[in-house]
PDB file of all heavy atoms in Angstrom:
ATOM      1  N   TYR U  12      12.589 -12.259   5.216  1.00 96.00           N
ATOM      2  CA  TYR U  12      11.420 -12.985   4.689  1.00 96.00           C
ATOM      3  C   TYR U  12      10.421 -12.010   4.156  1.00 96.00           C
ATOM      4  O   TYR U  12       9.750 -12.067   3.025  1.00 96.00           O
ATOM      5  CB  TYR U  12      10.730 -13.874   5.789  1.00 96.00           C
ATOM      6  CG  TYR U  12       9.598 -14.703   5.351  1.00 96.00           C
ATOM      7  CD1 TYR U  12       9.886 -15.849   4.633  1.00 96.00           C
ATOM      8  CD2 TYR U  12       8.345 -14.342   5.561  1.00 96.00           C
ATOM      9  CE1 TYR U  12       8.892 -16.652   4.159  1.00 96.00           C
ATOM     10  CE2 TYR U  12       7.277 -15.103   5.166  1.00 96.00           C
ATOM     11  CZ  TYR U  12       7.603 -16.254   4.402  1.00 96.00           C
ATOM     12  OH  TYR U  12       6.492 -17.059   4.003  1.00 96.00           O
ATOM     13  N   ILE U  13      10.097 -10.893   5.007  1.00 97.00           N
ATOM     14  CA  ILE U  13       9.141  -9.932   4.623  1.00 97.00           C
ATOM     15  C   ILE U  13       9.652  -9.149   3.333  1.00 97.00           C
ATOM     16  O   ILE U  13       8.874  -8.844   2.364  1.00 97.00           O
ATOM     17  CB  ILE U  13       8.878  -8.843   5.718  1.00 97.00           C
ATOM     18  CG1 ILE U  13       8.414  -9.570   7.010  1.00 97.00           C
ATOM     19  CG2 ILE U  13       7.921  -7.753   5.318  1.00 97.00           C
ATOM     20  CD1 ILE U  13       7.004 -10.005   7.005  1.00 97.00           C
ATOM     21  N   LEU U  14      10.939  -8.846   3.355  1.00 97.00           N
ATOM     22  CA  LEU U  14      11.507  -8.078   2.171  1.00 97.00           C
ATOM     23  C   LEU U  14      11.404  -8.928   0.934  1.00 97.00           C
ATOM     24  O   LEU U  14      11.025  -8.327  -0.150  1.00 97.00           O
ATOM     25  CB  LEU U  14      12.974  -7.779   2.508  1.00 97.00           C
ATOM     26  CG  LEU U  14      13.774  -6.990   1.540  1.00 97.00           C
ATOM     27  CD1 LEU U  14      13.129  -5.585   1.474  1.00 97.00           C
ATOM     28  CD2 LEU U  14      15.248  -6.826   2.020  1.00 97.00           C
ATOM     29  N   ASP U  15      11.661 -10.149   1.020  1.00 96.00           N
ATOM     30  CA  ASP U  15      11.558 -11.057  -0.143  1.00 96.00           C
ATOM     31  C   ASP U  15      10.154 -11.095  -0.690  1.00 96.00           C
ATOM     32  O   ASP U  15       9.957 -10.952  -1.844  1.00 96.00           O
ATOM     33  CB  ASP U  15      12.074 -12.479   0.332  1.00 96.00           C
ATOM     34  CG  ASP U  15      12.128 -13.398  -0.915  1.00 96.00           C
ATOM     35  OD1 ASP U  15      12.740 -12.911  -1.961  1.00 96.00           O
ATOM     36  OD2 ASP U  15      11.567 -14.485  -0.872  1.00 96.00           O
ATOM     37  N   ALA U  16       9.220 -11.191   0.236  1.00 95.00           N
ATOM     38  CA  ALA U  16       7.774 -11.208  -0.193  1.00 95.00           C
ATOM     39  C   ALA U  16       7.401  -9.881  -0.825  1.00 95.00           C
ATOM     40  O   ALA U  16       6.739  -9.774  -1.819  1.00 95.00           O
ATOM     41  CB  ALA U  16       6.848 -11.554   0.954  1.00 95.00           C
ATOM     42  N   TYR U  17       7.936  -8.807  -0.226  1.00 95.00           N
ATOM     43  CA  TYR U  17       7.566  -7.485  -0.715  1.00 95.00           C
ATOM     44  C   TYR U  17       8.137  -7.197  -2.138  1.00 95.00           C
ATOM     45  O   TYR U  17       7.446  -6.594  -2.991  1.00 95.00           O
ATOM     46  CB  TYR U  17       8.124  -6.435   0.324  1.00 95.00           C
ATOM     47  CG  TYR U  17       7.680  -4.979  -0.031  1.00 95.00           C
ATOM     48  CD1 TYR U  17       6.440  -4.623   0.257  1.00 95.00           C
ATOM     49  CD2 TYR U  17       8.571  -4.057  -0.630  1.00 95.00           C
ATOM     50  CE1 TYR U  17       5.925  -3.339   0.003  1.00 95.00           C
ATOM     51  CE2 TYR U  17       8.034  -2.803  -0.961  1.00 95.00           C
ATOM     52  CZ  TYR U  17       6.827  -2.375  -0.604  1.00 95.00           C
ATOM     53  OH  TYR U  17       6.391  -1.154  -0.909  1.00 95.00           O
ATOM     54  N   ASN U  18       9.353  -7.761  -2.350  1.00 94.00           N
ATOM     55  CA  ASN U  18      10.026  -7.609  -3.689  1.00 94.00           C
ATOM     56  C   ASN U  18       9.193  -8.263  -4.739  1.00 94.00           C
ATOM     57  O   ASN U  18       9.331  -7.902  -5.904  1.00 94.00           O
ATOM     58  CB  ASN U  18      11.449  -8.028  -3.648  1.00 94.00           C
ATOM     59  CG  ASN U  18      12.277  -7.033  -2.867  1.00 94.00           C
ATOM     60  OD1 ASN U  18      11.957  -5.832  -2.826  1.00 94.00           O
ATOM     61  ND2 ASN U  18      13.373  -7.501  -2.278  1.00 94.00           N
ATOM     62  N   LYS U  19       8.513  -9.391  -4.369  1.00 90.00           N
ATOM     63  CA  LYS U  19       7.773 -10.149  -5.302  1.00 90.00           C
ATOM     64  C   LYS U  19       6.398  -9.540  -5.572  1.00 90.00           C
ATOM     65  O   LYS U  19       5.670  -9.900  -6.545  1.00 90.00           O
ATOM     66  CB  LYS U  19       7.589 -11.532  -4.889  1.00 90.00           C
ATOM     67  CG  LYS U  19       8.897 -12.342  -4.960  1.00 90.00           C
ATOM     68  CD  LYS U  19       8.621 -13.760  -4.472  1.00 90.00           C
ATOM     69  CE  LYS U  19       9.943 -14.543  -4.403  1.00 90.00           C
ATOM     70  NZ  LYS U  19       9.912 -15.527  -3.321  1.00 90.00           N
ATOM     71  N   TYR U  20       6.022  -8.613  -4.729  1.00 85.00           N
ATOM     72  CA  TYR U  20       4.670  -7.970  -4.801  1.00 85.00           C
ATOM     73  C   TYR U  20       4.698  -6.822  -5.738  1.00 85.00           C
ATOM     74  O   TYR U  20       5.089  -5.648  -5.457  1.00 85.00           O
ATOM     75  CB  TYR U  20       4.329  -7.518  -3.292  1.00 85.00           C
ATOM     76  CG  TYR U  20       3.468  -6.401  -3.020  1.00 85.00           C
ATOM     77  CD1 TYR U  20       2.212  -6.160  -3.582  1.00 85.00           C
ATOM     78  CD2 TYR U  20       3.803  -5.393  -2.039  1.00 85.00           C
ATOM     79  CE1 TYR U  20       1.446  -5.069  -3.360  1.00 85.00           C
ATOM     80  CE2 TYR U  20       3.082  -4.382  -1.807  1.00 85.00           C
ATOM     81  CZ  TYR U  20       1.888  -4.249  -2.361  1.00 85.00           C
ATOM     82  OH  TYR U  20       1.119  -3.135  -2.104  1.00 85.00           O
ATOM     83  N   ARG U  21       4.349  -7.084  -6.988  1.00 82.00           N
ATOM     84  CA  ARG U  21       4.427  -6.085  -8.085  1.00 82.00           C
ATOM     85  C   ARG U  21       3.213  -6.239  -9.040  1.00 82.00           C
ATOM     86  O   ARG U  21       2.849  -7.447  -9.304  1.00 82.00           O
ATOM     87  CB  ARG U  21       5.624  -6.271  -8.963  1.00 82.00           C
ATOM     88  CG  ARG U  21       6.945  -5.957  -8.212  1.00 82.00           C
ATOM     89  CD  ARG U  21       8.123  -6.478  -8.981  1.00 82.00           C
ATOM     90  NE  ARG U  21       9.373  -6.356  -8.262  1.00 82.00           N
ATOM     91  CZ  ARG U  21       9.981  -5.162  -8.149  1.00 82.00           C
ATOM     92  NH1 ARG U  21       9.688  -4.113  -8.842  1.00 82.00           N
ATOM     93  NH2 ARG U  21      11.112  -5.129  -7.420  1.00 82.00           N
ATOM     94  N   ILE U  22       2.720  -5.249  -9.553  1.00 81.00           N
ATOM     95  CA  ILE U  22       1.741  -5.306 -10.650  1.00 81.00           C
ATOM     96  C   ILE U  22       2.460  -5.767 -11.934  1.00 81.00           C
ATOM     97  O   ILE U  22       3.631  -5.471 -12.069  1.00 81.00           O
ATOM     98  CB  ILE U  22       0.917  -4.100 -10.837  1.00 81.00           C
ATOM     99  CG1 ILE U  22       1.776  -2.896 -11.240  1.00 81.00           C
ATOM    100  CG2 ILE U  22       0.065  -3.795  -9.586  1.00 81.00           C
ATOM    101  CD1 ILE U  22       0.995  -1.711 -11.799  1.00 81.00           C
ATOM    102  N   PRO U  23       1.746  -6.458 -12.823  1.00 81.00           N
ATOM    103  CA  PRO U  23       2.366  -6.912 -14.074  1.00 81.00           C
ATOM    104  C   PRO U  23       3.060  -5.788 -14.825  1.00 81.00           C
ATOM    105  O   PRO U  23       2.502  -4.681 -14.976  1.00 81.00           O
ATOM    106  CB  PRO U  23       1.173  -7.480 -14.909  1.00 81.00           C
ATOM    107  CG  PRO U  23       0.192  -7.849 -13.861  1.00 81.00           C
ATOM    108  CD  PRO U  23       0.288  -6.819 -12.748  1.00 81.00           C
ATOM    109  N   LEU U  24       4.242  -5.988 -15.386  1.00 80.00           N
ATOM    110  CA  LEU U  24       5.012  -5.051 -15.965  1.00 80.00           C
ATOM    111  C   LEU U  24       4.282  -4.394 -17.175  1.00 80.00           C
ATOM    112  O   LEU U  24       4.363  -3.194 -17.456  1.00 80.00           O
ATOM    113  CB  LEU U  24       6.372  -5.626 -16.396  1.00 80.00           C
ATOM    114  CG  LEU U  24       7.502  -4.647 -16.780  1.00 80.00           C
ATOM    115  CD1 LEU U  24       7.852  -3.740 -15.600  1.00 80.00           C
ATOM    116  CD2 LEU U  24       8.707  -5.312 -17.218  1.00 80.00           C
ATOM    117  N   ASP U  25       3.643  -5.215 -17.938  1.00 81.00           N
ATOM    118  CA  ASP U  25       2.946  -4.724 -19.123  1.00 81.00           C
ATOM    119  C   ASP U  25       1.881  -3.581 -18.801  1.00 81.00           C
ATOM    120  O   ASP U  25       1.818  -2.651 -19.510  1.00 81.00           O
ATOM    121  CB  ASP U  25       2.049  -5.902 -19.781  1.00 81.00           C
ATOM    122  CG  ASP U  25       3.000  -6.861 -20.492  1.00 81.00           C
ATOM    123  OD1 ASP U  25       4.147  -6.577 -20.461  1.00 81.00           O
ATOM    124  OD2 ASP U  25       2.494  -7.902 -20.949  1.00 81.00           O
ATOM    125  N   MET U  26       1.207  -3.818 -17.662  1.00 79.00           N
ATOM    126  CA  MET U  26       0.270  -2.833 -17.215  1.00 79.00           C
ATOM    127  C   MET U  26       0.911  -1.483 -16.821  1.00 79.00           C
ATOM    128  O   MET U  26       0.544  -0.429 -17.139  1.00 79.00           O
ATOM    129  CB  MET U  26      -0.508  -3.385 -16.008  1.00 79.00           C
ATOM    130  CG  MET U  26      -1.839  -2.821 -15.846  1.00 79.00           C
ATOM    131  SD  MET U  26      -2.684  -3.646 -14.486  1.00 79.00           S
ATOM    132  CE  MET U  26      -3.421  -4.903 -15.362  1.00 79.00           C
TER     133      MET U  26
END
Side-chain angles (χ1 to χ4, degrees):
Chain U
Y12 185 78
I13 303 283
L14 185 62
D15 187 49
Y17 189 77
N18 286 335
K19 286 181 187 146
Y20 148 51
R21 292 165 188 277
I22 59 163
L24 194 61
D25 287 355
M26 203 176 273

